[in-house]
Amino acid sequence: MIKTKQADLSRRKFLATTGAAGVATLASPAILRAAGSPIKIGMPTILSGRVAILGETASVGAKMAVDTFNAAGGIDGRMVELVIRDSKGKPDEAAKVTRDLLSSDGCALILNGEASGGTFAVHEVVRDTKTYCMHTISETSALTADPANRAPWVFRSARQGIHDAISGGLYASQLAKAGATRWATCSPDYAYGRDTTAEFMEFLAVFAPEVELVGETWPKIFQPDYTENITNLLNFAPDALYSCLWGGDLVAFFDQSSLYGLFDQFQTVAVNMGDVPVLEAIKNLPSGIHSGNRYHKDIPDTDANEAWNTSFRESGQLPTNWAWQTYTGAQFVLEALKETKGETGHEKLADATRGRTIDSPFGVNGTVTLREADNTLVDYAIGYGQTVSEAPHMEGFQPTGWDVIADHEADWMKRKNYL
Amino acid sequence: MLNIDALMNCFGNSACLVTQSATGLIIGMLLFLVASGVTLIFGVLHVVNFAHGAFYMIGAYAAYSAYGVTGNYYLSVLAGAVAAAIVGVLFERLAISRVYKENLLMQLLVCYAFVLICDDAVKIIWGAEYLAMGIPSEFRVPPLRIAGGVVPPFYLFLAGSALAVAILSVILIRYSRFGKIVRAAAENATMVSVLGIRVPLYFAALFGLGCALAGMAGALAAPVRSLTPGMGLSILIESFIVTVIGGMGSIPGALLAAILLGFTRSFGSVGFPLFVDGAMFLMMVVILVFRPQGLLGERMVR
Amino acid sequence: MNLAHPFVRAAGLALVCFVLLIVLALVYPGTWLLDTLTGLFASGLLVMSLHLLVGYTGLVSFGHAAYFASGGYIFGMFLQTPDIVAAFGAWSVPVATLLALLGTGLFALVVGLICARLSEIYFAFLTLAFQMLLVSVIQGLVQYTGGDQGLMGGIPRPEFLGLDMVQVKDRFVFSAFLFLAGVLVIRLVTLSSLGATLRMVRDNEVRTAFLGVNTYRVKVLAFTIAGAVAGLGGVILAILTSAAYPEWAGWAVSGEAIFTIMLGGLHSFYGPLVGVVVMRFINDVTLIYTTHTDLAKGVAILFVVLVLRRGILDWIIDLRAARRGRKEDDNVSRALSKAGKEAEDAAS
């Protein structure tokens, strides 16, 4: 258990400042009890292994939200405590850790910081045990879109793959109209990579029917050497390449591809290129790579976002897409807890969460909403732009309107028989 | 699953043929460098070094740090090899040497423990984030075109140095005084020590040499890999496949198997992209069943 | 029928344990201990069955997790087929369990027939290769196995004999039954003449062959039994998590199982179980203070291998034997125990 040190400090500070004035109020037994026992939120996430950066930045995001909440007085003086556990990125371990958080650590609800594989494991546990849960990382569309997976007390504060696919397809169709009709893909060979790539190509075809898929290559996740995939791409000789490789894999693929001069030969759309650690890890970042926004301090270009970026970097970590999603998830959970006055019954909390809109540095209009129909996040900043070699590494950002996304998402759900 | 047309097209097209063959050799050479360390240690000391991937990782991280300080790629490769050798000698003296006489299980456990400790230590020292060293400026040049095929100069350098170093170490073991003493000591340690030679030091040096090969491979490849704790695992698995297919203890066997594997990867990704990994394991199964000593290995007596 | 005695005793012990565990389930108010024990039952069967190979037959298998995963997958895939569940109704779970046991046994038999021809390191590598092959197959057949995401959407487990696998207590009781049945099978094997033959193979395969024993056949038999019991462990985990994942067949699971045996004690029947509990303890306790569980595990392994030089239970037994030896004045009995120990040492 990594208790948030800052949370303890701020709790102590809070008690010190209010303590003297509040002796009379504290004497009342109900409040004494309330102030004495913090509400525990369990957070399974990945803190070791190759994607430890996911859990580390997500934890910082969650702690930021909880610390701010506690410093502002919590729920009428009752504090919230975050209990973070490492699942090592294994789905079965994620299920076990979640059960332990609920049964032995006394956590009343789950703020899930697992990647897609682990998320489905956690999802089974919270459905089985009827526990209120906020998924904050998994972008897999089926998690909330497929009615078979839905549970009314489970939410998602992350991007949804299909939103990115619509945005990306729309953006890439401009490249197709400009002549790039022969496309190839190079994405990691696991569920996220396959689904995301299929969804992107599906919408690219919707917006630009003339596009043709000339070849695909599927490196394994965490593959160290992409040489055979790169030379295969050379053989396909496409006009444009789509890839949803991410993190360290994307960095390695990029460095290795530049040896073959790959990016001089065709346009590249790499949705996860815009993640801050990737942009900062790649030395000599080439210009003109098309990418989604992930997290960026200038998207949306507001003071609130800039301030969040500055305060996040004080942790010593770089702000990631995972970080803002978990921060947002924690905000929703805390707002809901405030409304139920600290009651943690799954139905009560779910009613307080469903359809809620909160102020957010990441919203297109300063707010984000958990959509009532399918418990998933909407109205966050979404769109595509191009890399430039100097900081802030991104320019020409084209946001996608949420009315456009909603229309195409509805069509997609009909095609999938999800409605 | 099978795409024979694409494979045949590739064979009929000089650009594709050259590119994919070069790819096979490049992948193979780097594998060979790592695997030659495994097979060297096994061949002489009869220890299966399951911790070999950790030394690959140590080499890469040490090179990363050295490159940050010196900005010189060649010095950082040297630093990677030296760092791996030092840690290797320490590991041999403190842990492995105590289980030379124990069974395979004990050796496996000590190595397993070492890998766990190393991965966490790297995380504590360098952080859990992936690191990228970046390609040295002298290699940031357009790729060569050979008969329509594409070959990056950096990979030519990589493959060349890997081959050269591995061959040098074979010569060292076969023909130098050092090599002769170590091999004699492995046969009969008591006899050699009676001659006034400090056998444990020679064993430690040989173990260090094997680790240095892994460390150098890690350092050589560092510019085009993302460095993460646990990066040694996949390279460990592949180098074991190479070692087993080539024959435990046989360096020419490792060379042959590494090239075989390299070509399986490069042409497999054209002809049967979804079964490349499966094909490698299948090759290992077939070899173990029909020729357990490997392609060029000698039959071991128990 | 002089063999009947230890057999009956072993069965009696298993029955007593079962009753005690049922009582525990009835009186324990919470869920934590029961779920934790259920998880331990699953890993317990994995290591106990591997112990039959490593400790009793001298076959170091690096790929034992393959059978563990196979059990979980057969169980899960069977129950995820709606038509089959409709056909078997309330008998679905027992039938699926039996099928997982037999299917995994068959799989282990086939692999065993190929692997048992080799010895030592080659045997280890070949079992490892089959395990990797299974992982590639699971990840490749996405439409049947869910690929890298595992069997998603939960495994339906219809009620049977009044037991509902969604309820913690019911799940615990059924898992305890499977666990004790699996351990009993292994215990009976080690007590039987087959067990004696296995120990002979371990100590000297060539001499055993001279005695007219078909050692190949004996090894295949041990491999098959061990595989089937490991599959039962996978069934328990599939019941607990309502899913199955390709990681279950990973090299890490096999490696950890071997380490668990060494940690607990290679030369005692219950050593691996001690290992499972200690391992879980190290993992959970270090997780409370740090995320560096690997460091803690690594140091623990080095301590056991380099300082104790044997597993925990072996170490305790040796310690007790040494103490008893000092107390006893009777020269004869000391000589006897010494001879016994020498024989044991020679055996290991």
Side-chain angles (χ1 to χ4, degrees), chain A residues 259-330:
Chain A
L259 285 178
Y260 283 90
L262 206 68
F263 304 113
D264 308 335
Q265 302 183 27
F266 38 78
Q267 306 263 9
T268 301
V269 176
V271 57
N272 294 318
M273 190 74 198
D275 220 2
V276 180
V278 175
L279 290 173
E280 304 214 347
I282 296 181
K283 311 282 189 286
N284 314 302
L285 180 74
S287 296
I289 307 291
H290 308 281
S291 170
N293 59 320
R294 313 317 287 169
Y295 174 77
H296 197 279
K297 71 180 176 58
D298 298 335
I299 304 168
D301 198 357
T302 59
D303 292 342
N305 193 16
E306 190 85 42
W308 188 84
N309 176 57
T310 312
S311 110
F312 189 92
R313 281 174 188 259
E314 279 165 16
S315 69
Q317 302 271 358
L318 296 173
T320 57
N321 189 49
W322 303 306
W324 80 259
Q325 294 180 157
T326 311
Y327 177 85
T328 305

Side-chain angles (χ1 to χ4, degrees), chain A residues 1 88 96 104 121 190-191, chain C residues 32 148 245 280 283 287-288:
Chain A
M1 169 172 50
K88 299 166 187 153
K96 192 202 159 289
S104 74
Y190 75 115
Chain C
W32 172 78
D148 55 278
Y245 302 100
R280 186 84 259 174
N283 193 54
L287 263 186
I288 293 175

